[in-house]
Each structure stands twice: as structure tokens, then as C-alpha cells.
Amino acid sequence: MDLLYFAWVRERIGLPKERYETEAATVNDLIEELRGREERYAMAFSDLSALRVALDQELSEFDAPLAGVREVAFFPPMTGG
Amino acid sequence: MAIRVVVQEEPFDFGAEAECFAAGRSDMGAVVTFTGVVRDVSGTLETMEIEHYPGMTQKALEKIAAEAEARWQLGEVLVIHRHGRMGPGERIMMVATASPHRGHAFEAAEYLMDYLKSRAPFWKKESGTGGTSWVAAKDEDEDALSRW
């Protein structure tokens, strides 16, 4: 799948997008995996209340299943308008 | 019913957009326009940079506009939202609604604003003499959704 990062999540992790293969069943499982990768991921995912997730470009929840999902995006709460 | 959603980097011509919005629709007695402008709260802002999620932005805005259409009697809806770098006083975005009824046009415009503040994938970053920081979402922006 493709992982996308926006705003300060992108800055903390240091890249906008990466290809990632995972067996994680849910977004929460994926986050747990990513946290274990490197310090910068652990930092970016330290406070889930400050994060939002979109699955295939639709806002979603952290307990959502990842089966069939091709694009996961992580970002802070949006500030449009 | 026509929905038009535009996401672009370059400035838009507010006068021209307002002029042709719902032009010639004699069945629309009320037109509301709202414009969001880059605000310099502390007098130290030099630029505001708006990042967005290209694949998702257009769809998210269209979904919000379609929701508004389902809830109010609307003849036309327009949403324009910029991304990229802009300076204090520049227009960031506009919405326009046209309805046979004033109440519908006003409420739909407020609904669009409330939703695109916290459900459309845009992130604002401010740079100025005080440094650079991402604009934090406010609790009241989230609370504003509960009234709908």
C-alpha cells in the first residue's frame, strides 16, 4: 500500500509518501508497526488524538480494517476555510 | 441544481465569480457569498502556506456541497479553495449559495464553511517574524459541526 503524510506528520517523518507492505489488520495495528520502525515514526504517532486518518481518500477511524485498502494517509486535524 | 468546486493555487477573481454565479436564474431570489481572507492576528505574519491532499480535496469538497444540496433548497453552489503560498489580506476561499429563500442560502453557506474548515484536507502553515508554525485546529471548529 501507499502511505501518505501531510503537514507536520510529513515533516516529522521526513517524507511525503512511501510504499509499505504490511499484514496489519487495522489502522491501529499499522500504527503500532510504524512506531516500532524508527524514532521519527514513534514521534509522529505518539499522540493519536492529534492525528486523523484517511483510507483510500475517505476520512476513517483508527479501528477500521485495512483489507483491500491501497492508500493510507495520516495528517493532523484539518484547518481549511 | 449545479455544484461547482474549484481547487487551485492561483488567486481567483471574486468580482467575476460573484457576478456570474447563478446569473440569469430568475427562480433564485437569494444569493449568499462568503470569502475567507488570510488574517494577520499578531501583525507578524509574512506568508501563509496551505497544503492539501490532491487526490482527496476535490472529492471531499464535492461531498460537503452535495450534503448541503440535500438539506436545503439550493439552485447553485460554488466552492473555490486555494492552496499554496499567500500573503495577509489575500483571499483564500469563497463559497456561494443560491436559493429561492434567504434562510436556506445563509444556512447552507454556514454549513459549507463549518464542514470545509474541519472535514476538507487543508492545512495552514504560518510564517513570519515570530517563526513558522502549523495552525492548530480549534475545538470550537469541531463543536460547530454538532449544530447541524
Side-chain angles (χ1 to χ4, degrees):
Chain A
M1 62 174 61
D2 287 318
L3 302 182
L4 275 68
Y5 311 114
F6 293 96
W8 58 253
V9 182
R10 170 179 55 72
E11 290 179 339
R12 280 189 200 175
I13 292 174
L15 69 167
K17 185 177 180 175
E18 64 184 318
R19 189 103 197 122
Y20 186 73
E21 299 307 326
T22 181
E23 301 290 309
T26 67
V27 177
N28 275 322
D29 295 342
L30 171 65
I31 289 172
E32 212 40 59
E33 259 184 40
L34 292 170
R35 275 178 179 149
R37 277 174 97 189
E38 280 177 56
E39 181 56 31
R40 58 198 169 115
Y41 289 92
M43 234 175 75
F45 292 104
S46 61
D47 177 12
L48 290 194
S49 70
L51 279 183
R52 300 289 180 270
V53 62
L55 302 182
D56 289 332
Q57 307 181 348
E58 292 273 352
L59 276 176
S60 193
E61 304 293 332
F62 291 112
D63 58 2
L66 288 178
V69 170
R70 284 169 304 172
E71 187 172 296
V72 181
F74 292 104
F75 41 78
M78 294 153 275
T79 52
Chain B
M1 165 71 194
I3 291 177
R4 187 169 153 246
V5 170
V6 182
V7 181
Q8 65 181 34
E9 185 159 2
E10 58 272 19
F12 57 89
D13 184 338
F14 173 75
E17 294 293 348
E19 185 64 33
C20 45
F21 179 72
R25 290 288 302 257
S26 56
D27 53 336
M28 296 294 121
V31 171
V32 166
T33 62
F34 171 88
T35 315
V37 175
V38 178
R39 183 172 56 139
D40 182 7
V41 184
S42 57
T44 58
L45 182 73
E46 282 163 2
T47 58
M48 172 173 279
E49 185 135 18
I50 300 182
E51 180 170 331
H52 79 125
Y53 182 173
M56 180 176 165
T57 314
Q58 183 85 18
K59 280 191 285 187
L61 293 175
E62 281 169 5
K63 191 174 162 191
I64 294 167
E67 276 294 322
E69 181 202 3
R71 296 177 67 139
W72 290 279
Q73 206 179 327
L74 300 172
E76 311 253 337
V77 174
L78 168 67
V79 178
I80 302 177
H81 205 302
R82 292 178 63 197
H83 58 90
R85 193 178 299 246
M86 47 206 97
E90 271 191 67
R91 293 188 184 95
I92 303 170
M93 51 79 58
M94 71 174 285
V95 301
T97 54
S99 170
H101 313 292
R102 176 184 49 163
H104 286 241
F106 270 117
E107 278 192 23
E110 280 213 89
Y111 174 92
L112 289 170
M113 286 312 305
D114 281 347
Y115 269 84
L116 70 85
K117 246 191 146 40
S118 48
R119 291 292 183 274
F122 293 100
W123 301 275
K124 296 190 179 113
K125 189 184 200 176
E126 294 179 336
S127 301
T129 49
T132 296
S133 61
W134 291 98
V135 174
K138 297 186 192 77
D139 288 342
E140 62 240 44
D141 293 341
E142 196 59 36
D143 296 344
L145 302 186
S146 61
R147 68 176 164 139
W148 305 111

